[in-house]
Amino acid sequence: MEDRVTFSREEIEAKVKVPAIVEVELKHLVEDRLKQSGLYYRLFSRIKTAQSLENKFKRKAYNQNKKIQDLIGLRIDVYFEDDLRICRDILRQLFELVEWSESEQSDMEFKPTKINGVFKLPYYLMRQISEETWDMCIDSTVEIQLKTVFFEGWHEIEHDMKYKGGELWSGKSSFSRYFNSILATLELCDKSLVNLFENLGHDLYKEGNWAGMMKAHYRIKMEERQMYPEVQEILDNDHSEDNIGKILFKTKRSVLVEELLRQPRPVPINVNTITALINQAVIHDDSLTWIFNERDVFDDGGSAPGDENNFYRLEPLREVTVFHALVNLSTYKYDTHEGCELAARLVYSWVYEKFGRLDGHMPKEPVSFEWNPIGYRIKVVYEPWRSYWKVSCSHVDMEAPGQVWITEAESYQVEDGRQMLSVSNSYAVADANRENLNRYFSCPKFYSTISDRIGLFDVRYLSTSRRIIREKQVDKIRDLILSHRRTMPVCLIVSRQQENGWLDESWLGNFRVYDFTRMAGRYAHIYTCSVEMAWAVLQPLGIIVDDRAVYVFKPARNIADRDIVGNHIRYTESDVQGCSFGRHQVRYETNRYDIVTGGQAFYHKLLFEVRREMME
């Protein structure tokens, strides 16, 4: 058995660095889904302190095979016992599960119902934690506990006063028994509360009080809204054996929650939207469908009140780069001077389209000028006679208070005659807000337009079309991989060649090479080849060649970074098929996070890796 390891508090403090944004973002992801579900809950979170980690290493045996899994912990306290299972399903769809553990129940003993889930940290959050953390026998996971509110109160007292204070109870069996009897009472309270509302809902159903019945039966947070009169009339006049009112009462709460979570954005929760959702999922009554469509039920009021105005202390802004490229303009279609002028016009066209309506006197063609209206800044230096121009502009983000966007593009000649193009996109925020914002890839539209209209070179031509390596190209591809002038990654996709000459890429599953090349080909060199061509390119470099693999060669970032070959990444067939990836998106001003697997996951993972190079 591997020996246990321990670390001092000083070692832990020096190496384990977890930014506050990781905890904040995890809470946001969970809370967004819980709010959308309508459940009653309380959500808590914490990051283990160095002292707490030191104590845990002392109490338990940890090593590289058994790691601490709760560096970051969340706890969800629900108000109704049956919500534990619903929350469990929500978390299973939200994060990649490692394992569940649940307190075992028996006829002879009372125990609190506690469900613990261990989940993989979303990749984009794991990257924000110091890399040295993972060398400290700490797993890249988050633990989420599920309890009821009743049991949480008991458990906190039990943890502090009994589990940690065992000496207080020595020889006090009668007090210990009395303490545990309270737990039995709490379990009865949990079950009784659910039964109470179910029985109340049944009585209200018998009385034809549909709004009251739904409030008692579904037990979720509802707005106080009157039921549509025409819906009320349908329910009142339906006396069939399986009438609509009965179906509403018999439909399980979990079905309603599933429907709420299935909506592309949070919807107001009231008697009308609940009836509409259950009608979509279970009832399928044409009259109700027509009424809800006419009423536009999900947008019929229920908007959240605006936040109160806050006073913000002014702070310096810090820049966060979300795209940067340094390439040279192609000479396939245009000579150096023509390419430089056309690129300037394409960039300025983007500027004019974005800012022109703010000032009717803004020049329609690129010329040197500077313009500084309130909240905006544009500076253009246009000197085509020496093949030089530079555009710099900034504007306040109307949807993100306190955030400013900065876009810069510059073209110039170097001594060997190449016409260089530098493009950067970034946003600036106050230090206080910076840790609460994610770095996300954002490429200016004009960069893609220049790539498509003129063409871009990064040692070799960049292309969004599929490219297959032939024998005469082997040396050139190897030189590309080894080049220290290269600023963009090289992706080499190796597959077996079939008898008809086509490459068998079925092992990639839903990873479509064409789609990936079309999406990433402007900021990565993407090539496909047979196993034979892979041997010719990679074997002289001392690289292991797999007959089904994806190789990624990162660019050299500085003079000292010379081991390009040694820093390459190889993804095999098992890596693709076993891949899972959490996609984080902001949709309708709401954080959305979901897990995809296999080839689809590998597509997003590889695209993320390639784009990350453009944000370094």
Side-chain angles (χ1 to χ4, degrees):
M1 180 178 178
E2 189 175 345
D3 293 337
R4 65 184 294 170
V5 298
T6 58
F7 299 100
S8 67
R9 184 176 62 182
E10 290 73 21
E11 288 179 289
I12 296 170
E13 287 176 342
K15 295 184 178 182
V16 180
K17 307 289 186 183
V18 185
I21 180 59
V22 176
E23 179 185 2
V24 170
E25 184 67 13
L26 281 169
K27 283 189 70 174
H28 283 172
L29 290 172
V30 174
E31 193 149 36
D32 283 342
R33 300 301 279 165
L34 292 176
K35 283 182 178 178
Q36 190 168 348
S37 74
L39 299 179
Y40 287 92
Y41 69 92
R42 297 167 66 196
L43 179 61
F44 305 89
S45 65
R46 62 103 184 98
I47 297 173
K48 272 193 176 298
T49 64
Q51 182 67 62
S52 179
L53 287 170
E54 181 187 34
N55 293 338
K56 191 155 190 175
F57 279 120
K58 290 178 180 178
R59 288 199 315 269
K60 298 183 179 180
Y62 290 104
N63 51 49
Q64 287 301 322
N65 293 320
K66 181 185 178 183
K67 300 181 179 181
I68 289 177
Q69 295 181 308
D70 62 343
L71 172 64
I72 306 164
L74 272 65
R75 188 181 78 241
I76 304 171
D77 295 342
V78 296
Y79 287 67
F80 299 104
E81 185 187 35
D82 49 350
D83 286 345
L84 291 170
R85 305 296 173 192
I86 295 176
C87 280
R88 179 172 173 159
D89 290 339
I90 290 173
L91 294 174
R92 189 165 48 199
Q93 295 171 17
L94 186 59
F95 299 115
E96 182 179 352
L97 177 67
V98 176
E99 62 180 356
W100 289 111
S101 62
E102 185 172 348
S103 53
E104 296 182 2
Q105 305 295 322
S106 77
D107 297 337
M108 306 301 295
E109 181 183 17
F110 285 102
K111 284 185 178 180
T113 302
K114 182 177 70 172
I115 301 174
N116 281 10
V118 177
F119 304 89
K120 284 286 186 184
L121 274 171
Y123 185 63
Y124 76 100
L125 292 179
M126 186 188 77
R127 285 184 57 244
Q128 302 194 45
I129 299 173
S130 61
E131 291 187 6
E132 292 177 305
T133 299
W134 318 126
D135 299 327
M136 304 288 286
C137 294
I138 295 174
D139 211 353
S140 56
T141 53
V142 55
E143 181 185 71
I144 304 180
Q145 297 181 347
L146 302 177
K147 301 174 186 175
T148 64
V149 171
F150 284 143
F151 273 137
E152 175 52 33
W154 180 89
H155 184 267
E156 190 165 343
I157 297 298
E158 190 270 346
H159 185 264
D160 288 350
M161 301 296 290
K162 193 174 182 185
Y163 175 72
K164 288 187 175 180
E167 70 282 354
L168 300 177
W169 303 85
S170 179
K172 307 293 184 183
S173 59
S174 60
F175 286 98
S176 184
R177 179 179 175 81
Y178 189 15
F179 184 78
N180 287 329
S181 71
I182 297 173
L183 179 62
T185 304
L186 293 176
E187 182 173 327
L188 183 61
C189 289
D190 264 338
K191 296 184 182 302
S192 298
L193 193 62
V194 173
N195 290 334
L196 167 67
F197 282 105
E198 277 300 294
N199 292 333
L200 174 62
H202 186 260
D203 272 11
L204 294 168
Y205 156 68
K206 290 293 186 182
E207 295 171 4
N209 184 342
W210 312 117
M213 177 270 288
M214 282 190 272
K215 193 172 185 67
H217 172 61
Y218 291 115
R219 288 176 275 123
I220 61 176
K221 296 179 181 179
M222 295 172 54
E223 301 173 342
E224 294 297 332
R225 298 291 303 276
Q226 294 293 318
M227 180 174 279
Y228 295 150
E230 54 269 46
V231 175
Q232 178 86 35
E233 184 178 355
I234 290 175
L235 292 176
D236 289 342
N237 295 329
D238 186 357
H239 302 296
S240 60
E241 183 176 352
D242 290 323
N243 59 76
I244 294 174
K246 179 187 287 187
I247 297 174
L248 284 169
F249 178 67
K250 292 290 186 181
T251 300
K252 294 181 179 180
R253 299 172 66 240
S254 58
V255 173
L256 173 60
V257 171
E258 286 173 6
E259 288 302 308
L260 285 166
L261 294 174
R262 192 172 287 125
Q263 304 310 304
R265 60 180 175 85
V267 299
I269 303 175
N270 53 57
V271 290
N272 298 309
T273 54
I274 289 174
T275 308
L277 290 169
I278 300 302
N279 184 55
Q280 285 179 181
V282 181
I283 302 171
H284 309 302
D285 182 86
D286 292 338
S287 298
L288 289 177
T289 300
W290 185 87
I291 292 169
F292 293 132
N293 286 339
E294 283 294 301
R295 289 271 196 165
D296 198 7
V297 64
F298 298 127
D299 288 312
D300 183 17
S303 58
D307 295 333
E308 295 182 3
N309 293 327
N310 295 311
F311 176 78
Y312 291 98
R313 178 168 55 90
L314 294 179
E315 296 182 8
L317 300 183
R318 308 297 181 188
E319 196 169 347
V320 180
T321 301
V322 292
F323 178 84
H324 178 73
L326 178 61
V327 291
N328 57 296
L329 295 174
S330 167
T331 54
Y332 280 171
K333 300 178 183 177
Y334 308 94
D335 64 30
T336 301
H337 181 74
E338 290 175 329
C340 174
E341 284 199 81
L342 178 56
R345 292 181 180 279
L346 293 174
V347 173
Y348 190 76
S349 176
W350 175 87
V351 172
Y352 187 82
E353 181 181 348
K354 197 172 188 68
F355 297 95
R357 63 186 178 86
L358 298 174
D359 180 16
H361 302 292
M362 184 174 173
K364 294 185 178 180
E365 298 291 331
V367 293
S368 295
F369 73 95
E370 188 168 356
W371 184 50
N372 293 282
I374 297 175
Y376 305 91
R377 178 179 181 274
I378 299 173
K379 183 175 181 179
V380 177
V381 177
Y382 183 58
E383 299 174 354
W385 57 88
R386 66 183 186 100
S387 297
Y388 178 82
W389 56 262
K390 182 175 182 179
V391 175
S392 177
C393 56
S394 62
H395 67 89
V396 175
D397 192 325
M398 297 301 181
E399 297 180 358
Q403 184 167 304
V404 176
W405 280 94
I406 305 135
T407 304
E408 294 185 333
E410 183 178 19
S411 185
Y412 55 90
Q413 272 196 359
V414 291
E415 291 182 358
D416 61 9
R418 288 177 297 149
Q419 187 71 37
M420 305 303 296
L421 175 69
S422 174
V423 176
S424 69
N425 203 29
S426 58
Y427 64 86
V429 290
D431 278 344
N433 295 332
R434 186 172 179 178
E435 67 176 10
N436 295 325
L437 294 170
N438 295 314
R439 292 188 68 188
Y440 48 89
F441 179 84
S442 179
C443 174
K445 184 178 179 181
F446 63 76
Y447 177 84
S448 301
T449 307
I450 291 173
S451 175
D452 296 342
R453 288 281 303 275
I454 303 173
L456 298 175
F457 263 85
D458 172 45
V459 180
R460 287 189 62 80
Y461 184 61
L462 290 160
S463 175
T464 56
S465 299
R466 180 188 176 105
R467 293 185 290 186
I468 302 175
I469 299 175
R470 305 301 182 188
E471 187 173 355
K472 64 180 180 180
Q473 299 169 302
V474 166
D475 292 339
K476 293 179 180 179
I477 302 302
R478 192 185 309 119
D479 290 343
L480 172 67
I481 292 172
L482 293 174
S483 174
H484 295 288
R485 282 172 46 185
R486 175 169 56 86
T487 64
M488 298 183 180
V490 175
C491 297
L492 187 62
I493 304 169
V494 182
S495 301
R496 296 172 183 169
Q497 186 168 303
Q498 303 177 90
E499 291 183 1
N500 60 9
W502 293 88
L503 297 175
D504 179 8
E505 295 175 344
S506 59
W507 65 279
L508 290 166
N510 290 329
F511 179 94
R512 301 284 184 260
V513 177
Y514 173 80
D515 292 338
F516 178 72
T517 306
R518 182 171 50 84
M519 184 64 68
R522 298 182 182 93
Y523 38 82
H525 301 275
I526 302 167
Y527 293 94
T528 60
C529 70
S530 65
V531 181
E532 291 74 20
M533 289 299 101
W535 269 96
V537 173
L538 302 179
Q539 198 272 339
L541 302 178
I543 295 176
I544 298 174
V545 178
D546 196 294
D547 59 358
R548 292 177 176 177
V550 177
Y551 297 82
V552 179
F553 299 89
K554 296 184 178 182
R557 285 292 170 198
N558 52 61
I559 295 174
D561 183 11
R562 293 299 186 185
D563 190 12
I564 295 175
V565 172
N567 288 332
H568 81 278
I569 305 172
R570 176 170 61 102
Y571 300 101
T572 63
E573 181 178 8
S574 60
D575 294 324
V576 174
Q577 295 177 353
C579 184
S580 65
F581 190 83
R583 297 182 297 181
H584 178 242
Q585 308 172 67
V586 178
R587 299 179 60 190
Y588 303 103
E589 300 180 357
T590 301
N591 283 326
R592 299 302 298 264
Y593 187 82
D594 61 348
I595 302 291
V596 291
T597 58
Q600 184 183 12
F602 185 70
Y603 171 91
H604 291 288
K605 177 183 175 67
L606 191 56
L607 187 62
F608 177 86
E609 291 293 336
V610 167
R611 286 177 166 177
R612 184 171 63 175
E613 290 297 319
M614 308 311 295
M615 298 191 295
E616 294 295 340

